[in-house]
């Protein structure tokens, strides 16, 4: 059943000769998000709710035939973690041009979010699981090809007295954020498209560091800006390694857990 869905969906969004593309999904019916021509739609039932997002539903409402909906289980969302759909999809160019019906594949992302609350603050941190969605000869399934830190938002209380409020100009929370973005990279001849991962990590006020006690620091107005951490704001090329069936970075990423762990 999944084979006609993916073949029908692949043709209008095939990557150009110059390389792969990252396609933004658009709103579909209900919680579904679709390719712009609605040839393929994805949905995580109950997304954002407890025990929601435990399966990926794939449908092809614009294919013109009755292919139905395929549901594939996901190993994410345990222990109260939230699950959401990455709002993009990456078509994988076919390498079997001579086949009468070349198998279509896509890279689909699922973001798993961990949340924490603590006195006077809280935060969340997400990981992106990039999944290879496609068909083998008589079978369909998902294979994870990338697991990487993705985003975070943290607020930590920093005022415990009126003097602290004065010292910090009433900026009574340290705020930390981390964001990631995936884009297509120049083709490398690999089995899956090469990708670029870009991240940005910031702290507010600009003098705040999560590993330090910032409550008694006297701030100036000029400190009330976001500081971009040069080490944790990085760019890495991702190449698919068929030996490990995973994407690997061209060089290791730094430890940015002070931003990404709630």
């Amino acid at each position: 059943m999944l084979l006609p869905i993916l073949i029908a969906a692949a043709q209008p969004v095939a990557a150009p000769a110059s390389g792969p593309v990252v396609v933004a999904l658009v709103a579909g019916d209900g919680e579904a998000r679709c390719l712009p021509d609605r040839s393929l739609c994805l949905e995580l039932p109950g997304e954002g709710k407890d025990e929601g997002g435990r399966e990926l539903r794939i449908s092809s409402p614009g294919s013109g035939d009755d292919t139905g909906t395929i549901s594939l289980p996901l190993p994410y969302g345990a222990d109260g973690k939230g699950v959401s759909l990455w709002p993009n999809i990456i078509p994988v160019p076919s390498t079997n041009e001579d086949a009468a019906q070349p198998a279509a594949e896509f890279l689909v992302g699922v973001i798993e979010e961990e949340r924490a609350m603590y006195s006077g603050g809280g935060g969340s941190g997400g990981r992106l699981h990039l999944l290879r969605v496609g068909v083998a000869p008589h079978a369909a399934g998902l294979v994870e090809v990338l697991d990487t830190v993705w985003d975070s938002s943290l607020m930590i209380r920093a005022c415990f007295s009126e003097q602290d409020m004065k010292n910090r100009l009433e900026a009574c929370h340290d705020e930390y954020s981390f964001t990631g973005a995936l884009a297509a990279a120049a083709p490398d001849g690999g089995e899956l498209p090469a990708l670029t991962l870009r991240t940005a990590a910031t702290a507010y006020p600009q003098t705040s560091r999560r590993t330090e006690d910032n409550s008694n620091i006297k701030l100036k107005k000029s400190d009330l800006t976001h500081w971009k951490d040069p080490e944790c704001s990085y760019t890495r090329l991702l190449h698919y390694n068929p030996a490990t069936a995973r994407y690997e970075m061209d060089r290791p990423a730094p430890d940015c857990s002070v931003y990404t762990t709630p």
Side-chain angles (χ1 to χ4, degrees), residues 127-241:
R127 298 190 68 88
L128 174 69
H129 302 276
L130 196 64
L131 309 172
R132 184 176 187 173
V133 181
V135 287
H138 310 299
L142 303 172
V143 177
E144 183 184 276
V145 292
L146 176 68
D147 173 10
T148 186
V149 290
W150 188 244
D151 59 9
S152 69
S153 179
L154 311 174
M155 291 182 61
I156 299 176
R157 182 183 177 187
C159 290
F160 300 92
S161 67
E162 290 187 7
Q163 187 60 50
D164 288 342
M165 294 178 63
K166 292 179 180 179
N167 288 344
R168 291 181 55 94
L169 303 179
E170 299 186 359
C172 285
H173 286 90
D174 293 329
E175 301 176 15
Y176 304 94
S177 71
F178 184 94
T179 57
L182 275 183
D188 61 358
E191 183 178 337
L192 295 181
L195 303 172
T196 298
L197 172 66
R198 292 185 174 89
T199 70
T202 65
Y204 175 88
Q206 66 171 359
T207 57
S208 294
R209 302 294 181 267
R210 194 177 179 189
T211 55
E212 302 172 6
D213 180 4
N214 305 296
S215 59
N216 59 358
I217 297 177
K218 288 188 176 182
L219 298 178
K220 305 182 296 290
K221 286 186 177 181
S222 60
D223 294 327
L224 302 183
T225 59
H226 290 83
W227 173 73
K228 188 174 183 179
D229 187 322
E231 182 178 11
C232 288
S233 301
Y234 55 82
T235 299
R236 295 291 186 272
L237 287 177
L238 305 178
H239 300 282
Y240 180 73
N241 184 349

Side-chain angles (χ1 to χ4, degrees), residues 74-163:
L74 294 173
Y76 312 119
D79 301 324
K81 294 181 180 179
V83 178
S84 60
L85 191 65
W86 183 49
N88 300 284
I89 190 170
I90 303 174
V92 178
S94 173
T95 58
N96 188 11
E97 297 179 355
D98 297 330
Q101 289 186 324
E105 292 185 302
F106 299 87
L107 299 180
V108 174
V110 172
I111 301 169
E112 188 175 37
E113 183 182 50
E114 180 181 5
R115 304 178 185 88
M117 297 297 294
Y118 25 85
S119 178
S124 63
R127 298 190 68 88
L128 174 69
H129 302 276
L130 196 64
L131 309 172
R132 184 176 187 173
V133 181
V135 287
H138 310 299
L142 303 172
V143 177
E144 183 184 276
V145 292
L146 176 68
D147 173 10
T148 186
V149 290
W150 188 244
D151 59 9
S152 69
S153 179
L154 311 174
M155 291 182 61
I156 299 176
R157 182 183 177 187
C159 290
F160 300 92
S161 67
E162 290 187 7
Q163 187 60 50

